[in-house]
Amino acid sequence: MSDLSLDKLLQKAENKLQDVHEIVQEKAYELIGQAYKESIFVSITEGFRSIEHQHKLYSQGRTTPGSIVTNAKGGYSYHNYGLAFDIALLDNDGKVS
């Protein structure tokens, strides 16, 4: 069983939220804490994305192999401005649910 302590989840989130707006960071931490109280384990998977990275994600499933993962081109995603984050829910073993 993996370590699903609240501290570990918050520490992992801190790394992903470094370039995210401080109010959005606060809401992410609040989400993790409130969910944890209900035995729901939230992992932040991504925060800020450069426009170049967003272009690459937008190309996926269109002009490059893979499944489509976003409908926003670079410059049109809230991630590009530090105003969004993605999450995954973890099972009791710490694996993405």
Side-chain angles (χ1 to χ4, degrees):
M1 182 175 226
S2 69
D3 180 9
L4 289 176
S5 70
L6 180 57
D7 287 340
K8 193 76 156 181
L9 292 171
L10 291 171
Q11 181 181 13
K12 182 180 176 189
E14 186 176 349
N15 294 332
K16 299 288 185 175
L17 295 171
Q18 286 181 12
D19 295 320
V20 173
H21 189 281
E22 67 181 44
I23 293 173
V24 178
Q25 285 181 14
E26 289 171 14
K27 295 301 180 184
Y29 296 135
E30 187 178 311
L31 169 66
I32 294 166
Q34 290 296 320
Y36 192 84
K37 289 178 186 176
E38 301 296 327
S39 298
I40 299 168
F41 309 113
V42 174
S43 177
I44 305 296
T45 58
E46 194 163 24
F48 175 82
R49 289 185 198 140
S50 69
I51 290 176
E52 294 78 22
H53 183 58
Q54 188 71 33
H55 282 314
K56 185 177 178 182
L57 288 176
Y58 183 79
S59 296
Q60 187 176 319
R62 292 179 175 86
T63 59
T64 61
S67 301
I68 291 176
V69 294
T70 183
N71 291 315
K73 294 180 180 180
Y76 291 92
S77 171
Y78 285 107
H79 286 279
N80 302 143
Y81 305 98
L83 299 174
F85 58 89
D86 295 334
I87 67 166
L89 300 180
L90 306 177
D91 65 17
N92 290 335
D93 293 324
K95 296 179 184 171
V96 173
S97 176

